[in-house]
């Protein structure tokens, strides 16, 4: 019996070893050969780590020093992508561990991948450590994604966003009051690092609009999620081993502690809101209330199995914070930096705002007439897209644009590189020129899918209108009250922490109008 047990153990070990060798050697070699046969080459695969060493080295080099004051940021925010494309071409491969990631530039191929009509190009699966920050709609596939999108849609309807404008305004007024109190009483100016203030502004907006009367709890969630985001970046920068999240390390324990507190806060708010809606105590006017009302309706019409569970609602609330706060804060930050660098466009934008609103608080209808401000925001989204790249993966062999992608290949749509491509946008692709959007997004370039800061196709970001409305209002109110310029202490160093952020802050001199 003892010999049998030893034999079974030995066979189990051999099976396990064969699976490991298949995963880290035989399969990568096979995929590398299939890609190379089609002319898709890049940095060679290295056992287990792939090109992670090169990625770390290039990242450290890029972040070790600031850059010149320009918008030519691709080499700094996406160094391995920039290096690989420069050396191996626009259709090239980078190895993230044992996963090949093929870079795709061609706008028609981008369109087909993001259209994803048959679900052939899926989001890559997050490791368990990253799932603690946000999953929800952004990670779901198939019927679950369709159902969640249907339930969440009413919360982001244009008329609902219009009702949230007072909450947007209240947060902006608080920011402007803070800046005015910092002013030198004699010169009516001050130097401010606007980056943390803009982060607080957009977090405050999400707290007000997502949770309404539960604003204090919402602010607590914002702080916790911000800390969780920093912990997530640290997890994403290293190779993930199955079970790593279970180790009782200091960071893992803190991640779990944050997750438990966020879940407890959200569960309490959700149950309280559900009870109020069922009793007809108040009409929901915040994102959480609208989501719960829509979910209750879905359950009544299709049975409990058709709606969201409380875990699903918690995940979507986390996503409200992560996506809503991050996207708008970086958009406002780089808009203020660019307008400080281009005083003529700042003047044009201010004149437009004052012509439409004067010194009155901006209203929803007036915001839709801010053509110049809209052009500027779209140009910033082109030059400084919220995320460096969109990643998809194949679960079976797919052929698009004459290229065959084997199963289990990741596809990288390098947003920042495509947005800066001179073949698509012209020789001034890396310059600030809002005029290119004068005739709208669809006419900015001959390739409509060459501009995808919020994604594209059926999975385009559901909060796009929310984010742009918030950004327009904030910029309008800032322009009404201040003119601004870069401080001599400002150091231009964009770098990616989930979104493209200023590494050393954004020091700006504000002058009261």
């Amino acid at each position: 019996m003892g010999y049998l047990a030893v034999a079974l153990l030995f066979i189990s070990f051999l099976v396990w070893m064969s699976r490991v060798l298949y995963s880290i050697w035989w399969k990568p070699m096979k995929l590398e050969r299939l890609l190379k046969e089609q002319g898709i080459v890049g940095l060679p695969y290295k056992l287990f780590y792939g090109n992670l060493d090169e990625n770390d080295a290039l990242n450290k080099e890029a972040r070790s020093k600031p850059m010149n004051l320009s918008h030519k940021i691709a080499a700094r925010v996406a160094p391995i992508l920039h290096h690989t494309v420069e050396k191996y071409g626009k259709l090239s491969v980078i190895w993230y561990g044992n996963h090949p990631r093929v870079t795709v530039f061609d706008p028609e191929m981008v369109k087909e991948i993001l259209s994803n009509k048959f679900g052939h190009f899926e989001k890559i699966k997050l490791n368990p450590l990253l799932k603690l920050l946000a999953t929800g709609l952004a990670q779901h596939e198939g019927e679950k994604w369709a159902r969640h999108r249907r339930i969440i849609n009413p919360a982001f309807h244009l008329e609902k966003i219009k009702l949230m404008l007072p909450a947007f305004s209240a947060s902006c007024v608080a920011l402007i009051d803070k800046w005015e109190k910092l002013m030198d009483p004699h010169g009516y100016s001050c130097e401010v690092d606007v980056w943390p203030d803009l982060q607080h502004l957009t977090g405050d907006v999400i707290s007000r609009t997502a949770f309404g009367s539960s604003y204090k709890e919402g602010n607590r969630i914002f702080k916790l999620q911000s800390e969780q985001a920093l912990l997530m970046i640290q997890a994403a920068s290293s190779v993930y081993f199955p079970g790593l999240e279970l180790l009782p390390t200091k960071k893992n324990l803190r991640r779990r502690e944050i997750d438990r507190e966020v879940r407890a806060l959200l569960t309490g708010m959700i149950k309280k809101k559900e009870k109020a809606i069922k009793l007809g105590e108040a009409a929901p006017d915040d994102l959480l209330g609208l989501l719960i009302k829509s979910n209750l309706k879905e359950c009544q019409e299709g049975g409990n199995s058709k709606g969201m569970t409380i875990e699903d609602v918690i995940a979507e609330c986390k996503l409200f914070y992560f996506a809503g706060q991050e996207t708008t804060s970086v958009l406002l930050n780089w808009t203020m930096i660019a307008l400080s660098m281009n005083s003529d466009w700042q003047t044009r934008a201010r004149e437009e705002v004052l012509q439409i609103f004067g010194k009155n608080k901006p209203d929803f209808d007036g915001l839709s007439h801010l053509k110049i401000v809209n052009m500027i925001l779209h140009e910033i989204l082109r030059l400084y897209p919220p995320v460096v790249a969109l990643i998809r993966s194949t679960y079976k062999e797919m052929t698009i644009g004459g290229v065959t992608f084997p199963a289990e290949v990741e596809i990288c749509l390098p947003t920042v590189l495509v947005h800066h491509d001179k073949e698509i946008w012209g020789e001034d692709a890396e310059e600030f020129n809002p005029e290119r959007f004068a005739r709208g997004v669809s006419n900015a370039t001959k390739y409509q899918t060459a501009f995808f800061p919020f994604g594209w196709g059926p999975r385009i970001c559901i909060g796009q209108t929310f984010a742009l409305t918030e950004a327009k209002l904030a910029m309008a109110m800032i322009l009404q009250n201040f003119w601004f310029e870069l401080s001599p202490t400002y150091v231009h160093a964009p770098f990616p922490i989930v979104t493209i952020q200023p590494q050393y802050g954004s020091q700006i001199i504000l002058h009261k109008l």
Side-chain angles (χ1 to χ4, degrees):
M1 194 67 181
Y3 288 113
L4 180 59
V6 171
L8 288 173
L9 188 62
F10 181 68
I11 291 169
S12 297
F13 175 75
L14 289 177
V15 170
W16 177 79
M17 277 298 298
S18 65
R19 287 176 177 172
V20 169
L21 287 172
Y22 173 80
S23 175
I24 68 171
W25 183 252
W26 191 82
K27 187 175 74 171
M29 290 295 96
K30 177 185 175 184
L31 291 174
E32 187 171 48
R33 177 177 54 79
L34 290 172
L35 293 171
K36 193 174 290 185
E37 286 172 354
Q38 301 180 81
I40 303 173
V41 294
L43 296 169
Y45 172 69
K46 293 178 184 176
L47 187 64
F48 192 70
Y49 287 99
N51 305 136
L52 288 176
D53 286 344
E54 291 95 331
N55 185 45
D56 288 346
L58 287 167
N59 279 333
K60 286 177 183 176
E61 182 184 356
R63 296 171 190 179
S64 65
K65 54 186 181 297
M67 58 176 285
N68 295 329
L69 193 58
S70 76
H71 306 296
K72 194 174 181 179
I73 67 169
R76 194 175 201 278
V77 302
I80 194 164
L81 273 172
H82 183 265
H83 169 77
T84 305
V85 168
E86 288 281 301
K87 188 171 182 179
Y88 298 102
K90 292 182 177 180
L91 196 63
S92 50
V93 64
I94 301 168
W95 289 86
Y96 285 80
N98 60 342
H99 298 287
R101 187 174 292 179
V102 177
T103 303
V104 172
F105 260 76
D106 181 77
E108 290 304 313
M109 291 175 71
V110 170
K111 180 178 180 180
E112 191 165 347
I113 292 164
L114 292 180
S115 294
N116 198 25
K117 295 173 184 175
F118 306 106
H120 294 150
F121 300 99
E122 300 178 338
K123 293 288 190 80
I124 59 172
K125 290 178 172 57
L126 298 178
N127 76 48
L129 290 171
L130 306 187
K131 288 181 180 179
L132 292 175
L133 180 63
T135 53
L137 190 67
Q139 287 300 126
H140 296 324
E141 298 289 350
E143 173 55 32
K144 187 171 185 178
W145 171 82
R147 183 171 68 253
H148 280 222
R149 181 93 181 196
R150 183 170 62 248
I151 293 170
I152 297 169
N153 260 331
F156 288 94
H157 191 277
L158 195 61
E159 288 304 310
K160 300 300 182 184
I161 293 175
K162 188 174 181 179
L163 295 174
M164 295 175 192
L165 211 65
F168 291 1
S169 295
S171 297
C172 292
V173 167
L175 173 67
I176 288 166
D177 286 347
K178 177 184 178 181
W179 285 350
E180 287 181 339
K181 288 174 182 175
L182 297 173
M183 291 285 162
D184 176 353
H186 303 292
Y188 295 102
S189 64
C190 63
E191 179 176 322
V192 179
D193 180 359
V194 300
W195 170 234
D197 287 343
L198 293 173
Q199 285 181 297
H200 185 270
L201 165 68
T202 55
D204 195 63
V205 166
I206 286 290
S207 296
R208 292 176 190 271
T209 56
F211 304 114
S213 59
S214 302
Y215 169 68
K216 287 185 179 178
E217 293 95 326
N219 251 333
R220 175 60 181 161
I221 294 170
F222 162 59
K223 291 175 183 176
L224 290 167
Q225 286 292 89
S226 297
E227 185 182 348
Q228 192 76 286
L230 292 175
L231 290 168
M232 188 205 78
I233 299 305
Q234 293 166 5
S237 63
S238 58
V239 176
Y240 172 72
F241 297 91
L244 189 64
E245 74 280 4
L246 302 176
L247 297 177
T249 63
K250 184 178 179 180
K251 289 179 181 178
N252 277 351
L253 292 172
R254 182 55 184 157
R255 289 184 184 107
R256 296 294 178 187
E257 185 182 356
I258 292 172
D259 187 56
R260 281 193 298 271
E261 186 175 350
V262 169
R263 284 176 176 278
L265 287 167
L266 287 172
T267 301
M269 286 191 281
I270 291 165
K271 289 182 176 179
K272 183 180 176 182
K273 189 77 70 174
E274 278 183 343
K275 183 179 179 181
I277 292 171
K278 287 176 180 177
L279 293 174
E281 292 179 4
D285 57 358
D286 53 53
L287 290 173
L288 178 58
L290 292 166
L291 171 58
I292 291 172
K293 183 181 179 182
S294 180
N295 190 44
L296 290 172
K297 181 181 178 183
E298 182 83 8
C299 291
Q300 290 165 1
E301 293 177 353
N304 288 331
S305 63
K306 296 294 182 182
M308 289 187 190
T309 64
I310 193 165
E311 287 296 314
D312 290 334
V313 177
I314 288 171
E316 299 303 344
C317 289
K318 286 183 177 182
L319 190 59
F320 286 167
Y321 263 105
F322 178 65
Q325 188 266 336
E326 287 283 332
T327 301
T328 315
S329 60
V330 294
L331 172 56
L332 290 171
N333 179 80
W334 297 118
T335 300
M336 290 194 73
I337 294 296
L339 291 182
S340 296
M341 294 166 61
N342 297 270
S343 58
D344 54 334
W345 277 101
Q346 184 183 155
T347 300
R348 288 178 63 180
R350 183 176 296 104
E351 288 174 350
E352 178 183 62
V353 169
L354 294 175
Q355 181 182 356
I356 293 173
F357 301 116
K359 284 288 187 175
N360 298 321
K361 192 175 292 184
D363 57 61
F364 192 83
D365 292 335
L367 291 176
S368 64
H369 292 95
L370 291 177
K371 182 180 178 182
I372 291 173
V373 172
N374 197 50
M375 287 159 52
I376 289 169
L377 291 175
H378 279 94
E379 180 69 342
I380 294 301
L381 286 168
R382 186 185 71 82
L383 290 169
Y384 299 85
V387 294
V388 166
L390 300 179
I391 312 298
R392 298 292 185 266
S393 65
T394 58
Y395 70 88
K396 69 174 187 178
E397 184 179 286
M398 286 293 298
T399 300
I400 58 168
V403 179
T404 298
F405 296 94
E408 299 185 68
V409 166
E410 295 178 0
I411 298 174
C412 172
L413 310 178
T415 317
V416 69
L417 269 66
V418 174
H419 282 192
H420 285 242
D421 189 359
K422 292 183 179 181
E423 290 183 15
I424 295 173
W425 297 93
E427 287 302 311
D428 67 345
E430 293 178 314
E431 297 172 18
F432 178 74
N433 178 20
E435 204 68 54
R436 72 179 86 245
F437 290 100
R439 294 186 298 124
V441 172
S442 59
N443 294 307
T445 175
K446 61 181 179 179
Y447 304 108
Q448 194 172 357
T449 43
F451 181 71
F452 50 100
F454 293 100
W456 200 83
R459 297 198 65 137
I460 194 168
C461 176
I462 197 170
Q464 176 179 236
T465 303
F466 180 100
L468 286 173
T469 302
E470 180 187 351
K472 281 184 195 177
L473 178 67
M475 280 313 306
M477 294 181 71
I478 291 169
L479 289 164
Q480 281 178 318
N481 288 276
F482 308 100
W483 70 271
F484 43 92
E485 59 184 331
L486 288 180
S487 164
T489 63
Y490 173 69
V491 177
H492 195 51
F495 82 126
I497 302 184
V498 183
T499 51
I500 298 176
Q501 302 181 11
Q503 186 173 351
Y504 305 111
S506 296
Q507 294 75 23
I508 283 178
I509 298 174
L510 298 169
H511 302 272
K512 180 65 180 168
L513 291 174

